[in-house]
């Protein structure tokens, strides 16, 4: 791949550029990366993501970057203290078991902390994320044609020819409707597509346990709340939105010692939360919240609205986001 050949010269350019020059042009830049599963397509036999993540962690250790905890970044911002040279933060969302079984030994190997945002009722065993249940039902149904009645009573007509398109279409629709009774609708969705609902999340969708979450903390990493049910906050009323945030914080603190006072918005697009949620964070014990809006954390970033980069699936883009290259591209593109 042509881009792969550019990694060495770009790395050399970044390493030779004085930090003071970067600060004067771009300001201080801190990338926060996030990912979800550590194997692609729910295939536990495929280790391609693990290998890629291993390369990324090796790269930062070999090229003068300093991995720090998210809470350390926030404390430095609040207290206006200096950050180490070239800081970088890693986060994982939802609380799946592979974020303990696979992520913990890998991040330990490279002495790199990570923050895992967990859905409290997922770890309690009361539910598993609605978007994953959509995938499960569509992949399990024996129907070849079906009509799906959505929570807003709109109708989606689909066939089994292209399940990925159906899943994407349903995800899109459900992110736009009132999600107050989303999990009640999920139960009806199983019935509509004539699929038996499992008593617990199937193997590929299982959460870590609270005991495993505590082990992550005990190994020098962080666990933090990611709502109670993973419903999109902007699609809930005021009381429900606040309860998702505060309730997940309270439950996580009840079950664990040393919970990090940081938070991740479900789905995390700019339309999925707003000033209401940011105000809830600001008056709580939680010190920051992260989105999935791409970008570096800068001096002017709001602590209740911090951007994150999804971990790129190729090495060249990772190097760009990690360094000042992406910031320069965005600046000159304006």
């Amino acid at each position: 791949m042509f881009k792969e050949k550019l990694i060495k010269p770009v790395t050399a350019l970044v390493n030779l550029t004085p930090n003071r020059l970067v600060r004067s042009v771009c300001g201080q830049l801190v990338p926060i990366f996030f990912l979800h599963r550590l194997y692609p397509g729910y295939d536990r036999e495929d280790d391609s993501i693990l290998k890629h993540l291993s390369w990324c962690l090796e790269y930062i250790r070999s090229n003068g970057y300093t991995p720090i905890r998210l809470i350390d970044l926030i404390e430095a911002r609040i207290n206006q203290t200096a950050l180490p040279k070239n800081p970088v933060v890693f986060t994982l969302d939802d609380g799946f078991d592979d974020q303990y079984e696979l992520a913990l030994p890998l991040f330990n190997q490279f002495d790199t902390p990570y923050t895992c945002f967990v859905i409290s009722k997922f770890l309690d065993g009361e539910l598993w994320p609605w978007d994953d249940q959509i995938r499960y039902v569509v992949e399990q149904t024996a129907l070849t044609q079906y009509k799906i009645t959505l929570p807003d009573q709109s109708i989606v007509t689909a066939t089994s020819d292209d399940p990925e398109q159906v899943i994407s279409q349903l995800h899109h629709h459900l992110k736009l409707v009132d999600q107050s009774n989303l999990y009640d609708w999920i139960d009806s969705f199983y019935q509509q597509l004539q699929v038996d609902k499992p008593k617990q999340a199937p193997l590929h969708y299982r959460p870590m346990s609270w005991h495993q979450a505590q082990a992550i903390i005990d190994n020098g990493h962080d666990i933090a709340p990611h709502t109670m049910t993973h419903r999109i906050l902007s699609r809930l009323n005021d009381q429900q939105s606040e309860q998702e945030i505060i309730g997940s914080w309270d439950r996580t603190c009840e079950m664990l010692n040393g919970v990090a006072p940081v938070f991740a918005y479900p789905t995390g697009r700019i339309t999925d939360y707003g000033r209401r949620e940011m105000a809830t964070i600001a008056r709580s014990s939680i010190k920051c919240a992260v989105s999935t809006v791409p970008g570096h954390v800068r001096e002017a970033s709001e602590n209740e609205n911090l951007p994150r980069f999804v971990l790129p699936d190729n090495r060249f883009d990772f190097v760009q986001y990690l360094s000042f290259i992406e910031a320069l591209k965005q600046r000159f593109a304006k």
Side-chain angles (χ1 to χ4, degrees):
M1 177 185 267
F2 175 71
K3 281 187 174 182
E4 294 278 327
K5 297 179 180 179
L6 296 177
I7 292 175
K8 286 187 177 180
V10 168
T11 299
L13 171 64
V14 170
N15 290 340
L16 289 171
T17 303
N19 203 46
R20 287 180 297 177
L21 178 59
V22 175
R23 291 287 294 271
S24 67
V25 175
C26 300
Q28 185 167 51
L29 304 171
V30 182
I32 302 176
F33 292 103
F34 78 96
L35 66 158
H36 291 87
R37 310 310 300 270
L38 276 82
Y39 45 81
Y42 306 91
D43 180 1
R44 289 175 180 258
E45 301 302 316
D46 188 339
D47 63 355
S48 58
I49 292 179
L50 273 176
K51 289 179 178 178
H52 175 60
L53 179 57
S54 179
W55 183 93
C56 295
L57 297 177
E58 171 65 32
Y59 182 90
I60 66 171
R61 281 304 188 186
S62 302
N63 288 280
Y65 293 91
T66 307
I68 62 172
R69 300 160 64 211
L70 177 58
I71 187 59
D72 292 336
L73 169 61
I74 299 311
E75 293 285 4
R77 289 171 58 84
I78 292 172
N79 299 323
Q80 296 186 328
T81 55
L83 288 167
K85 182 181 178 181
N86 298 331
V88 55
V89 176
F90 287 90
T91 62
L92 288 79
D93 287 4
D94 295 342
F96 289 98
D97 62 351
D98 53 290
Q99 295 169 355
Y100 165 79
E101 294 176 355
L102 301 179
L104 181 60
L106 183 61
F107 280 93
N108 280 351
Q109 177 185 344
F110 290 97
D111 192 23
T112 297
Y114 69 101
T115 299
C116 186
F117 293 103
V118 301
I119 304 163
S120 59
K121 285 187 178 293
F122 186 31
L123 269 64
D124 281 337
E126 295 185 28
L127 53 79
W128 40 300
W130 62 269
D131 43 346
D132 283 320
Q133 292 197 59
I134 295 295
R135 173 173 292 278
Y136 177 82
V137 173
V138 170
E139 290 181 346
Q140 292 297 313
T141 185
L143 299 178
T144 57
Q145 294 182 330
Y146 39 86
K147 289 184 178 180
I148 304 166
T149 303
L150 298 177
D152 63 354
Q153 300 306 304
S154 61
I155 304 294
V156 170
T157 302
T159 71
S160 60
D161 294 339
D162 190 351
E164 287 299 325
Q165 182 180 8
V166 176
I167 293 165
S168 177
Q169 185 178 10
L170 289 173
H171 284 175
H172 174 75
H173 279 289
L174 292 170
K175 288 175 182 179
L176 299 176
V177 303
D178 183 344
Q179 292 199 346
S180 298
N181 299 307
L182 180 59
Y183 282 94
D184 291 334
W185 178 85
I186 289 290
D187 289 341
S188 76
F189 182 55
Y190 280 90
Q191 297 173 5
Q192 291 184 64
L193 267 65
Q194 300 178 20
V195 175
D196 293 332
K197 184 177 182 180
K199 293 182 179 180
Q200 62 180 4
L203 175 63
H204 296 320
Y205 301 95
R206 287 185 184 170
M208 67 178 70
S209 66
W210 287 113
H211 177 75
Q212 290 170 330
Q214 185 64 57
I216 289 174
I217 296 174
D218 294 343
N219 273 267
H221 309 282
D222 286 309
I223 296 290
H226 189 36
T227 71
M228 299 172 66
T229 67
H230 207 248
R231 290 178 295 174
I232 294 175
L233 299 177
S234 63
R235 303 301 171 187
L236 302 174
N237 64 36
D238 293 351
Q239 181 179 3
Q240 292 167 335
S241 171
E242 181 170 359
Q243 181 60 23
E244 284 285 343
I245 296 171
I246 303 303
S248 64
W249 165 252
D250 290 343
R251 178 58 173 167
T252 307
C253 288
E254 177 186 0
M255 296 302 295
L256 303 172
N257 295 317
V259 176
V262 296
F263 180 84
Y265 298 113
T267 310
R269 305 167 304 168
I270 198 65
T271 56
D272 298 330
Y273 65 97
R275 289 292 163 184
R276 179 184 65 178
E277 286 72 32
M278 294 169 65
T280 299
I281 296 294
R283 63 175 177 264
S284 73
S285 300
I286 301 170
K287 296 184 178 181
C288 81
V290 295
S291 70
T292 61
V293 178
H296 291 90
V297 176
R298 301 169 181 264
E299 285 92 338
S301 299
E302 298 174 286
N303 284 346
E304 299 82 18
N305 188 27
L306 296 177
R308 290 188 295 174
F309 291 110
V310 63
L311 185 74
D313 60 7
N314 70 83
R315 297 174 179 182
F316 180 76
D317 285 348
F318 175 73
V319 171
Q320 285 194 99
Y321 297 163
L322 186 63
S323 68
F324 59 83
I325 302 297
E326 181 67 18
L328 283 180
K329 285 173 57 181
Q330 296 301 319
R331 177 170 179 170
F332 289 112
K334 293 181 179 179

